[in-house]
Amino acid sequence: MSEDGLRIRLLGDLQLQLHSRPLQLPPSKKTRALLAYLVTTGRPQLRERLCDLLWEGPDDPRGALRWSLAKLRPLLDVGARCLLVADRERVAFVQDGADVDVSRLAKLGAGGVGTAAIDDLRDAAALFGGEFAEGLDLPACSRFHEWCVAEREKWAELRLSVLARLVDLLADSPEEALIHARSRVSIDPLNESSHLAVIRLLATLGRHREALRQYDFCRQLLEAELGARPGAALERARATLKASSAARAADEETRTTKPTAAVRISDPVIVGRSEERAILDAVVAAASAAGASAKFLLLVGDPGIGKTCLLRYLGDAVVRAGGEVLAGRAFEAEMIRPYGIWADILARFSRQALPDATRAGLRPLLADGIEAAPNEGDRTRLFTAMVSLIAELSDRSPVGILIDDLQWVDDASVSLLHYVTRAFEGTCRVVVAATARPGELADNGIAQRLVQGLARETRLIELPLRPLDEKTTAALARTVAPDLNVASVVATSEGNPLFTLELARSLARGSATLPGSIGSALAEHLARPEGPARAILPWAAALGRVFDVGVLARCVKLTPSAWLEALEELERRGIIRGVGEERYDFAHDLIRSAAYGQISQPRRRLIHGQIAQALADALDANAGAGVLGGELARHAVLGGNDTLAARGFALAGEHSLCVFAHNDAIDFAERGMRHLARVATGAQRTRLQIALLRIQIIASGGNRQPHRGDLLDNLAAVVNVAETSGLASDATTGYYLLSELHYEDGDAAAAASNSLRAAEIGRGADPATAAVQLANTACCLLMLEQDVSRSRALIAEAGAMSDRSDRKSLWLLHGQALLRRWDGELDAAVPLLEQARTLAHRLEDRWEECRCLVWLTMIHLERSDSRASLACVDELLPLASKMGEGGELPFGRVLQALVQARLGQAGAQGRLESALDELRSFDSKARLAYALNAVGELTLADGRFDRVREVAQEALAAARATRRVCEAVRAQALLSCVLAAQGEHSAARACLEPVLEHLGNRDALSEGARQVALRAAAELGLCVQTLVQTPRPQDHT
Amino acid sequence: MTRIIVERNFDPPISQDDLNACFQRIGGCLDLYGVRYIRSRISTDRRRSFCEFEAADAQSVRDVQSAARAPYERVWPAEVIGES
């Protein structure tokens, strides 16, 4: 290996060295990821493929690729040639003598680890500086992510093989073997043999107490993560250790060990930065006086440089000036949560604190669970409402809008931030400030454009934070311990505040040697927790943001006391801090990254998979309020669960629709579809397909032309599958969507057809529900006097289903009663209706109770049982008066007056006329027809033919308008009787004859109407063949 | 056929999901009762709505609401003014 020339290290943090000097890498993650990809694949790649890999989305991917290549070219320019070769079509990395770690290891792997020489294995172990492409996690770039995960697994497997072989070969050198054995445990902690090797080596070295601690750690880990107990080999090793008299010597060993000083970590304080603080104070003063136009403050700097501390200082300054702070923090893991930071900002406001108009506009972002419709124009309402809120807050005192980690803010949030910044361009009391990591901001195109636009308009104040000078660094270190000898801290930390504090704490704990990098300092810090604290650390890191103890508890099984102990220890060590009730965050994102970096790739997959399953289980148990689809999708993607990933993307897409982030919704739907392509066919896949297509269709709105054919075809195919699979609810959704698409195409017939089909199958749910629906439809048909033969069949079918489920339904009783009435079996209808009414009362279904009472009143009237009729209507009226229009109060009053008139009660006629007028105003023509026919039949007996003719004609018109055949026949029969009574026999016959042809079909006319027609025909002396009564078979169920 | 208006009030304001479910149920009953749906208007605070149908009479529309378990305040026949 040459010390000159280019060296590239991909295992661990990406590093480039030229002539043994490290090269400054581009800060952009995607640029570094591109380099890793080109170097590892080692062959020409199409530009289009590289764009798909790293730059999905509507921005200019080719332009972004060109920009990244321009950043990489100077690094790969070695002497006479450049190792980056590119033309219009392809880009390639040409190794040409460069020393690449993965290339060397690939040769070892090809030759076989089992036959490699021990020195080669030692060199190989040394090459593994960490996992492949450490820190280059880009979960939003799914194709790169999948490739990176596969590479990590491959190199981790090789590393494990190398370490295992070294442990075997170094049996005679247990100290050296132990180093490799511990490395093996750190990579694959769930492998018992890794722990066993460590325990045996420690026992060999006489370190029995440590060996027993190693056993305890393994046992707790297996129990917490796999719910498993240690195997026989581990138990034997433990038993041997326990029995050994050397354990007593090990006790002596630990008693003489120098105790480490306990260092309580407190919140960081600002030391120095006087120039920056002066600028922030001036900005707040100007805002308080509303004497200057709003500027956008951007604090930029490397991780750990103190950006968040200064942002907090700015917030405190706003509060001291009597103002309000709206603060939000973005997380890398949450970039797929539209308007995430704004929702977090609004979470601090109670609903009551917001004015009504503002609350209505902001509803999509409020945590009250009421979502707005995703209509065009509502996005503007949301934006306007936010500006109104800020304007109101800043009316008399300054408002600080503080955004931490702008490079991770989602597109929708940046758009709203842009809108707010524009809205307060003039003199106002609004201060907008954000922090950002400079290189990573370039990976967020929309945030980058916001900043560039503000710079062009001279509205940007950029505050780059430089490393602290030596004096300030020393002062910061002494905040940990005043009498600390800080010289080595100052020398090593190079002015990075976070690194300074970590080093100072390490020194205060009594460490003999200081870590050489911030990474090693954090690794040392994270190695200190033990027991339950150590067990939950990887899970907390994997959650990737402010984490809820409740979510953690679903994944890690600990006793309540163990939880308290773990959280207290992590807080005490300054690894996490509380941010609310049962919510914690890592003290710094670098700490979280370091903790996550310590998790091996296979273990990460396991952890993310379990978190995803826990989130999905919470959703299924209706305990998942607040579970975000994006969160579920992220963990499922990283955990390799395509079904849950598709489900998460569907949820995220639905949420995006509700907050009008339509581009995000389409993106989520497409990503969900890609995962769904790998899910086996079945009900779950069909459901998710329809859900994702629905999101695509709604989010696309009117912009569907290029993909319309595909969408229609895909949707039609999957809806067909849903219907044949019995997924009624999903098929219903699909048909309604098809209906909408056809409607937009102007195909009304297809639209209506699909809509009806949706309604039809929408009723086909479980058997009990289906029975109710069938009986319901039968009742409707009988009430409408239509398709009675079908209603018979429906009642028979519903009756059979109800018997199977051993449950009589309200609608079934109702339907059976109406069928009896239709067939003239009035006495049999009454008890059925009374049962139905009792059931309706018990079910507190007042509408249905009113209907039953109406029918009972009518049937008793038809039975000529006036007293029973009156009793029913006396119950009906008070109930109907509470029901509003649905209670049929006007018809009830008519029935009451009718019965009273029949009984010859004084004043009944007048009340009847008033009630009829009311019924006319109520526009209930079918009821009016019935009532007028009843009045006509009553009046006919009195011989008031003009009155009868008048009401019968009105009844006929009303019956025909509402297609009530029976009432029309009754009216015609009445008219015929009047005409006959007045000597107009021809006219009477002409009036009745059209009716007579239906008399033979028992399903065409009710028995009541039939009898009225027969009596009228008999009066006229008409001979009707079909008038011979035939016995009706008993087919009621 | 007559234009019929259905007035509804919602307290608390109705969510889009509940509104969709209500309309789905109503849609399933229209053909049966000879009622044609025309359009709906909902207030921006989502507390009031007007639905317009075409039917033989107001009672047909009331029957549809009842069958669909769609609550309402009033149903009344209307004359259309100003529609092109």
Side-chain angles (χ1 to χ4, degrees):
Chain A
M1 176 178 53
S2 168
E3 288 298 322
D4 295 334
L6 187 67
R7 292 177 79 181
I8 301 177
R9 292 291 171 262
L10 293 169
L11 295 166
D13 283 330
L14 179 61
Q15 289 177 35
L16 263 68
Q17 287 183 350
L18 184 62
H19 309 310
S20 304
R21 282 184 294 109
L23 299 177
Q24 179 76 27
L25 287 172
S28 163
K29 252 189 176 176
K30 288 190 180 181
T31 304
R32 284 181 276 142
L34 175 65
L35 177 62
Y37 185 78
L38 289 170
V39 170
T40 307
T41 54
R43 58 181 186 274
Q45 300 288 341
L46 285 170
R47 283 184 181 255
E48 200 176 319
R49 172 162 171 72
L50 295 174
C51 290
D52 282 345
L53 199 69
L54 289 164
W55 291 282
E56 291 174 295
D59 286 351
D60 179 14
R62 286 213 159 214
L65 174 62
R66 281 195 299 275
W67 183 87
S68 287
L69 290 173
K71 297 291 177 190
L72 290 175
R73 209 176 294 282
L75 299 172
L76 299 173
D77 197 351
V78 182
R81 69 169 294 182
C82 184
L83 302 186
L84 188 68
V85 175
D87 58 29
R88 287 174 63 84
E89 293 294 314
R90 288 174 171 73
V91 182
F93 169 77
V94 178
Q95 195 161 345
D96 194 20
D99 176 12
V100 180
D101 55 357
V102 295
S103 300
R104 287 164 62 186
L105 286 167
K107 285 181 192 149
L108 176 80
V113 171
T115 55
I118 192 168
D119 284 338
D120 289 339
L121 291 170
R122 283 187 174 116
D123 289 342
L127 277 176
F128 281 102
E131 73 169 359
F132 175 80
E134 195 164 307
L136 288 184
D137 292 283
L138 294 167
C141 302
S142 55
R143 291 185 183 91
F144 175 82
H145 174 73
E146 283 169 15
W147 170 83
C148 191
V149 164
E151 285 294 314
R152 283 178 179 163
E153 285 178 359
K154 180 179 92 179
W155 296 112
E157 208 175 303
L158 180 63
R159 189 180 180 190
L160 284 170
S161 303
V162 166
L163 292 169
R165 183 71 182 139
L166 274 170
V167 169
D168 287 342
L169 292 175
L170 291 169
D172 294 332
S173 305
E175 290 95 348
E176 190 184 347
L178 183 61
I179 295 170
H180 298 303
R182 283 206 190 279
S183 296
R184 218 176 130 205
V185 167
S186 73
I187 300 164
D188 194 9
L190 299 178
N191 186 328
E192 285 191 44
S193 62
S194 306
H195 292 273
L196 189 59
V198 170
I199 290 170
R200 285 180 178 151
L201 287 166
L202 286 168
T204 304
L205 289 167
R207 288 150 68 173
H208 294 85
R209 185 101 177 152
E210 270 184 74
L212 281 168
R213 275 210 299 272
Q214 188 68 29
Y215 166 85
D216 284 335
F217 171 57
C218 176
R219 181 181 53 77
Q220 285 167 7
L221 196 63
L222 291 175
E223 195 175 301
E225 300 211 6
L226 301 177
R229 294 201 54 79
L234 265 175
E235 292 295 350
R236 278 198 298 275
R238 176 180 175 269
T240 304
L241 284 167
K242 280 282 196 188
S244 168
S245 60
R248 285 199 291 273
D251 287 338
E252 288 295 331
E253 173 203 323
T254 54
R255 274 200 293 276
T256 57
T257 303
K258 183 180 168 187
T260 53
V263 177
R264 179 87 202 185
I265 313 291
S266 52
D267 283 339
V269 295
I270 291 190
V271 174
R273 299 284 188 212
S274 50
E275 203 178 300
E276 290 88 349
R277 282 195 275 174
I279 294 173
L280 299 183
D281 288 336
V283 165
V284 173
S288 298
S293 59
K295 299 283 190 187
F296 190 107
L297 277 164
L298 185 66
L299 305 163
V300 292
D302 290 333
I305 204 69
K307 303 185 293 294
T308 302
C309 273
L310 273 174
L311 197 68
R312 274 195 215 124
Y313 175 87
L314 177 63
D316 290 344
V318 170
V319 169
R320 280 197 302 275
E324 188 89 42
V325 170
L326 305 178
R329 186 181 163 196
F331 297 87
E332 188 172 12
E334 267 206 340
M335 287 184 77
I336 53 172
R337 184 182 162 218
Y339 300 109
I341 51 159
W342 292 103
D344 290 342
I345 284 171
L346 290 173
R348 60 183 283 271
F349 288 96
S350 67
R351 287 186 72 205
Q352 293 73 23
L354 296 171
D356 283 352
T358 309
R359 186 167 63 238
L362 293 173
R363 190 172 44 243
L365 302 187
L366 296 174
D368 60 6
I370 299 173
E371 294 168 347
N375 295 322
E376 195 54 42
D378 286 344
R379 183 174 181 263
T380 309
R381 262 183 75 217
L382 170 67
F383 283 20
T384 307
M386 186 62 77
V387 167
S388 297
L389 173 65
I390 296 168
E392 188 168 325
L393 291 171
S394 65
D395 191 35
R396 276 180 286 279
S397 52
V399 167
I401 302 170
L402 312 179
I403 309 295
D404 205 0
D405 287 320
L406 183 67
Q407 71 278 359
W408 292 329
V409 173
D410 60 275
D411 290 357
S413 291
V414 174
S415 297
L416 181 48
L417 180 63
H418 190 187
Y419 187 89
V420 165
T421 311
R422 288 258 169 271
F424 294 100
E425 279 180 344
T427 55
C428 62
R429 294 192 174 88
V430 177
V431 175
V432 184
T435 68
R437 298 181 184 181
E440 293 186 48
L441 193 61
D443 288 335
N444 185 335
I446 190 166
Q448 175 87 318
R449 281 196 297 278
L450 167 68
V451 166
Q452 286 167 348
L454 289 166
R456 274 196 303 273
E457 294 161 20
T458 64
R459 293 189 56 214
L460 181 75
I461 299 177
E462 189 166 330
L463 276 183
L465 300 187
R466 294 185 169 68
L468 303 174
D469 58 35
E470 286 187 4
K471 188 176 161 192
T472 311
T473 305
L476 181 61
R478 285 199 191 93
T479 62
V480 173
D483 54 352
L484 207 60
N485 183 352
V486 297
S488 52
V489 171
V490 171
T492 310
S493 72
E494 296 182 342
N496 182 293
L498 178 66
F499 194 12
T500 301
L501 290 170
E502 289 295 323
L503 290 172
R505 286 173 198 139
S506 182
L507 204 58
R509 278 190 294 265
S511 294
T513 53
L514 289 183
S517 67
I518 192 167
S520 356
L522 292 174
E524 186 188 290
H525 189 166
L526 291 166
R528 297 200 166 271
E530 291 189 341
R534 200 161 162 195
I536 70 173
L537 203 49
W539 295 87
L543 279 168
R545 51 163 284 177
V546 174
F547 59 88
D548 200 304
V549 175
V551 174
L552 261 189
R554 287 189 199 115
C555 306
V556 186
K557 303 295 175 217
L558 292 175
T559 61
S561 60
W563 271 111
L564 283 172
E565 183 193 321
L567 293 168
E568 198 276 334
E569 183 179 350
L570 292 175
E571 262 193 292
R572 181 169 47 81
R573 293 188 182 277
I575 293 174
I576 65 174
R577 57 189 173 87
V579 292
E581 211 171 302
E582 294 206 347
R583 286 160 64 81
Y584 291 86
D585 191 7
F586 281 83
H588 196 282
D589 191 69
L590 284 181
I591 298 177
R592 191 206 65 79
S593 298
Y596 189 73
Q598 291 180 343
I599 310 170
S600 67
Q601 185 56 45
R603 199 168 166 218
R604 277 186 209 173
R605 202 176 161 93
L606 191 73
I607 287 175
H608 283 297
Q610 284 185 255
I611 292 174
Q613 191 60 58
L615 292 173
D617 291 344
L619 282 167
D620 289 336
N622 288 324
V627 171
L628 301 170
E631 201 179 347
L632 174 61
R634 177 178 164 262
H635 290 295
V637 167
L638 293 169
N641 188 323
D642 289 312
T643 306
L644 290 184
R647 186 177 170 187
F649 282 122
L651 281 172
E654 284 290 337
H655 173 73
S656 296
L657 288 179
C658 291
V659 295
F660 326 119
H662 291 160
N663 285 338
D664 288 327
I666 293 170
D667 179 51
F668 292 146
E670 286 171 358
R671 288 165 74 177
M673 285 294 199
R674 284 200 287 273
H675 285 278
L676 208 55
R678 293 192 283 266
V679 174
T681 53
Q684 203 161 27
R685 179 182 163 147
T686 305
R687 282 201 174 102
L688 286 168
Q689 264 181 302
I690 290 178
L692 291 167
L693 282 167
R694 176 180 170 279
I695 293 165
Q696 280 183 300
I697 287 166
I698 292 174
S700 304
N703 302 323
R704 298 181 210 151
Q705 292 307 327
H707 306 293
R708 172 175 292 283
D710 292 341
L711 270 178
L712 266 172
D713 291 343
N714 291 344
L715 185 57
V718 73
V719 167
N720 194 29
V721 170
E723 191 176 354
T724 51
S725 307
L727 302 173
S729 168
D730 305 280
T732 302
T733 303
Y735 274 118
Y736 275 125
L737 282 172
L738 279 169
S739 173
E740 191 175 319
L741 285 172
H742 284 301
Y743 182 78
E744 288 188 7
D745 277 344
D747 190 348
S753 166
N754 282 302
S755 177
L756 285 170
R757 185 79 191 118
E760 199 177 306
I761 62 171
R763 293 209 265 265
D766 60 281
T769 310
V772 170
Q773 291 294 346
L774 289 173
N776 188 356
T777 303
C779 288
C780 293
L781 290 171
L782 284 163
M783 193 184 74
L784 295 168
E785 300 174 6
Q786 292 176 30
D787 210 348
V788 174
S789 59
R790 188 170 153 223
S791 72
R792 288 184 199 279
L794 290 172
I795 286 175
E797 192 181 337
M801 290 165 93
S802 282
D803 284 342
R804 272 206 292 275
S805 63
D806 200 27
R807 184 171 70 85
K808 279 282 191 187
S809 79
L810 170 59
W811 284 104
L812 183 59
L813 287 166
H814 192 156
Q816 288 168 343
L818 293 187
L819 200 51
R820 297 271 204 225
R821 175 180 176 264
W822 182 272
D823 290 337
E825 295 170 37
L826 301 178
D827 291 345
V830 168
L832 290 167
L833 271 172
E834 281 173 350
Q835 272 184 272
R837 187 248 164 148
T838 304
L839 191 53
H841 181 78
R842 199 166 75 226
L843 294 171
E844 295 185 6
D845 188 340
R846 301 292 174 236
W847 261 344
E848 190 53 21
E849 197 180 346
C850 277
R851 276 181 190 244
C852 292
L853 283 167
V854 165
W855 283 116
L856 279 166
T857 307
M858 288 162 67
I859 288 172
H860 284 308
L861 199 63
E862 290 155 18
R863 292 173 67 237
S864 303
D865 188 345
S866 297
R867 285 191 196 286
S869 191
L870 212 52
C872 287
V873 81
D874 284 346
E875 286 192 64
L876 167 66
L877 292 179
L879 185 62
S881 66
K882 295 176 195 165
M883 295 290 299
E885 290 195 358
E888 301 212 56
L889 191 58
F891 187 52
R893 290 200 183 113
V894 165
L895 290 173
Q896 186 185 50
L898 204 51
V899 176
Q900 288 167 346
R902 262 205 187 178
L903 290 171
Q905 287 184 8
Q909 286 293 342
R911 287 193 292 278
L912 184 55
E913 291 307 318
S914 297
L916 284 169
D917 281 339
E918 191 187 353
L919 195 58
R920 288 186 188 97
S921 299
F922 199 56
D923 195 29
S924 179
K925 290 189 173 68
R927 298 299 198 205
L928 184 64
Y930 179 91
L932 289 169
N933 280 331
V935 168
E937 283 155 14
L938 193 65
T939 314
L940 189 64
D942 294 341
R944 289 184 286 151
F945 299 132
D946 288 340
R947 175 70 179 142
V948 175
R949 188 199 294 256
E950 186 191 332
V951 297
Q953 280 171 339
E954 191 184 353
L956 183 61
R960 281 178 174 161
T962 52
R963 295 180 296 160
R964 295 298 203 272
V965 175
C966 300
E967 297 310 321
V969 163
R970 285 173 74 195
Q972 280 171 294
L974 271 172
L975 280 169
S976 169
C977 288
V978 164
L979 287 165
Q982 287 176 331
E984 296 176 53
H985 294 276
S986 300
R989 243 187 232 110
C991 188
L992 196 60
E993 269 166 4
V995 169
L996 301 180
E997 65 190 40
H998 300 298
L999 292 184
N1001 182 353
R1002 66 182 180 130
D1003 288 338
L1005 275 182
S1006 67
E1007 184 61 23
R1010 189 166 174 273
Q1011 290 301 323
V1012 166
L1014 281 172
R1015 279 197 294 275
E1019 292 257 349
L1020 287 171
L1022 288 172
C1023 177
V1024 180
Q1025 291 295 331
T1026 54
L1027 290 181
V1028 174
Q1029 286 193 357
T1030 52
R1032 295 174 187 267
Q1034 295 299 312
D1035 61 358
H1036 302 125
T1037 51
Chain B
M1 298 285 263
T2 314
R3 290 287 176 97
I4 311 292
I5 303 296
V6 179
E7 288 183 49
R8 302 182 214 273
N9 290 334
F10 306 107
D11 186 18
I14 190 165
S15 70
Q16 189 58 40
D17 279 348
D18 285 346
L19 199 62
N20 289 343
C22 179
F23 282 170
Q24 260 193 26
R25 292 195 302 272
I26 290 172
C29 300
L30 294 174
D31 279 353
L32 201 55
Y33 289 88
V35 175
R36 185 172 79 92
Y37 170 72
I38 296 171
R39 64 175 70 87
S40 294
R41 296 276 187 265
I42 186 163
S43 63
T44 52
D45 65 2
R46 303 190 78 78
R47 288 184 181 274
R48 289 180 300 279
S49 80
F50 285 83
C51 296
E52 191 176 338
F53 299 88
E54 196 172 65
D57 63 352
Q59 187 60 41
S60 302
V61 177
R62 288 189 200 100
D63 289 339
V64 164
Q65 311 308 311
S66 170
R69 291 295 188 267
Y72 62 91
E73 295 298 316
R74 273 173 293 279
V75 177
W76 37 271
E79 184 187 321
V80 177
I81 298 170
E83 188 175 80
S84 59

